[in-house]
Amino acid sequence: MTTCPACGSSNPENAAFCQHCGANLSGQPTNPTASSFDTPAESLIPPAQPVAPQQPPAPQAPYAQQINYGAYPPSPRPLKDRSIALILEILPGLFGFYGIGRIYSGDTQTGILWLAGGLAWAFIAGLVSVFTGGIACFCTIPLNLAAVATATYLLNQYTKNHPEIFGA
């Protein structure tokens, strides 16, 4: 048995390093980091620092307020063309599809109501025309034209009352 000169513990005869502290038992110099084995491991651990209690995170602003648009504000929507709205009301309206111009204008709810009503009227007019052998067309076609004229007139009034959508 060999006694370690650093810590005094006993080691086997053929051991090159101490089994307890890792010191060199052969007497030959080792690499420069070997001197770190001479110090006990407990002295290498830094002393514990007191931990400050953590504060809860600050409340964040809603997502819409967190968006950074840069130096420029978001651009406004371009104005819609009044004539396109009226054309979209007249042309499909001739075939029973009223309200397309309203949907284009942004008055979606009213446009869908006109569209549903026009499709219901087209179905009823078609049935009546079939049962009367086409004679009912003399009544339904003028009613369709009156419905197109009414829808177009009301859309024109809507476009005049909403300059923020169509301009002055």
Side-chain angles (χ1 to χ4, degrees):
M1 292 296 237
T2 305
T3 304
C4 175
C7 68
S9 64
S10 58
N11 293 290
E13 287 294 326
N14 58 355
F17 297 97
C18 175
Q19 293 177 348
H20 181 70
C21 69
N24 187 0
L25 297 177
S26 65
Q28 297 179 357
T30 58
N31 61 13
T33 60
S35 63
S36 64
F37 292 121
D38 295 341
T39 57
E42 292 80 18
S43 66
L44 297 176
I45 299 174
Q49 299 293 326
V51 177
Q54 292 185 351
Q55 297 295 327
Q60 293 184 340
Y63 180 72
Q65 294 176 359
Q66 294 178 6
I67 297 174
N68 182 7
Y69 290 107
Y72 302 103
S75 61
R77 288 187 172 178
L79 297 176
K80 296 191 178 194
D81 191 1
R82 179 179 285 123
S83 59
I84 291 177
L86 294 173
I87 290 171
L88 285 174
E89 191 67 30
I90 294 169
L91 290 181
L94 293 174
F95 300 99
F97 297 103
Y98 315 118
I100 304 294
R102 285 272 185 166
I103 294 172
Y104 166 78
S105 299
D107 190 12
T108 308
Q109 185 176 4
T110 306
I112 290 174
L113 289 174
W114 271 100
L115 185 61
L119 292 176
W121 167 247
F123 179 74
I124 292 169
L127 283 177
V128 170
S129 294
V130 167
F131 288 125
T132 61
I135 297 176
C137 289
F138 293 111
C139 294
T140 57
I141 290 176
L143 289 175
N144 283 338
L145 294 176
V148 171
T150 303
T152 305
Y153 173 76
L154 292 174
L155 179 60
N156 187 39
Q157 294 302 315
Y158 177 82
T159 59
K160 288 180 182 178
N161 292 334
H162 290 81
E164 71 276 4
I165 300 173
F166 298 96

